[in-house]
Each structure stands twice: as structure tokens, then as C-alpha cells.
Amino acid sequence: MSNGDPTYDESRIADRLDEQRAATEQRIAEMRAGFDGMVAASEGSNADDEHDPEGATIAFERSQLGALIDQAELQLREIAHAAQKISDGKYGVCESCGAQIAPARLDARPIARTCINCATKR
Ligand SMILES: [Zn+2]
């Protein structure tokens, strides 16, 4: 371990991105399976969503799950973006102001696109 070294280990970050990507892909696959199951269940019951309280609940749960899948897919794109920046040699540079992103921030949030100053400005 390098003492007080203000840089970070890009290969370690890349490994973590790979792990996150695998975990996120797995989660999306699981959620998709659950989503399809829900759709099949609601179609199978031939429920009238407007008048059947259970049908309305299923519709709500389905939309919640759909939102979670969207979120996970966005996360996946951010991970791919960060991985691309590593291969381009641009990783750790704020996309907004061009400053070096603090290593502690990258450590906590490897997919961060901007420095903490720009992130809190929005
Ligand atoms: Zn910035």
C-alpha cells in the first residue's frame, strides 16, 4: 500500500467495474424473469385491472419492477462508460470541469463522471 498516494489503481477500479457489471447483469436477468412471470400471471388470470384490486396491485408492482430494471440498465451503461474512459485513458477526469476527481470519490463511486464540486452544483 502506498502511503498518501493521491492516485488510484486503475486496474483495481477496472476489476470492480467488471464485478459490478456482472452483478448488475445478473440482477437485470432476475428482475426480467420476475417481470415476465408477473405479466404472464396477470394475463393468465384475465383480470380487469380497473375493477380487480389484485390486478391493480400487480400492475403497480410491475411498474415498480420496470422502473428498477430501467435503473439497473442505466447503471450498466454508466459502468460501460467508466470502463471506456479507462481504456481511453480519461478515467478520473471530471467530464464537466476537467479537474481530477478525488480518489476517495472514485473509490466510493467508481462510475462517477464528475468531481464532487460539479456533482453538488447540480
Ligand atoms: Zn468538475
Side-chain angles (χ1 to χ4, degrees), residues 93-101 113-119 121:
V93 177
C94 174
E95 290 182 15
S96 184
C97 71
Q100 188 67 42
I101 302 174
R113 286 171 180 247
T114 59
C115 70
I116 192 73
N117 285 337
C118 294
K121 249 187 269 178

Side-chain angles (χ1 to χ4, degrees), residues 3-122:
N3 241 347
D5 190 342
T7 63
Y8 45 86
D9 186 347
E10 271 187 8
S11 68
R12 198 172 64 89
I13 298 264
D15 284 350
R16 282 179 61 195
L17 288 172
D18 276 347
E19 278 168 27
Q20 280 191 15
R21 174 161 41 204
T24 306
E25 277 172 351
Q26 165 96 17
R27 217 169 68 222
I28 290 173
E30 282 167 4
M31 288 193 292
R32 281 237 174 84
F35 189 85
D36 291 346
M38 259 189 240
V39 173
S42 66
E43 277 172 357
S45 70
N46 198 22
D48 182 342
D49 273 14
E50 281 179 52
H51 300 104
D52 178 2
E54 203 174 318
T57 305
I58 289 169
F60 176 73
E61 282 176 1
R62 211 195 301 165
S63 71
Q64 293 283 94
L65 190 56
L68 285 176
I69 292 173
D70 285 350
Q71 234 172 55
E73 283 178 338
L74 181 69
Q75 168 100 359
L76 214 50
R77 283 199 291 276
E78 291 298 314
I79 292 167
H81 182 79
Q84 183 62 45
K85 281 172 79 174
I86 290 178
S87 41
D88 289 349
K90 292 175 186 159
Y91 187 76
V93 177
C94 174
E95 290 182 15
S96 184
C97 71
Q100 188 67 42
I101 302 174
R105 174 165 165 75
L106 292 172
D107 197 50
R109 188 175 161 73
I111 60 172
R113 286 171 180 247
T114 59
C115 70
I116 192 73
N117 285 337
C118 294
T120 52
K121 249 187 269 178
R122 280 189 290 186

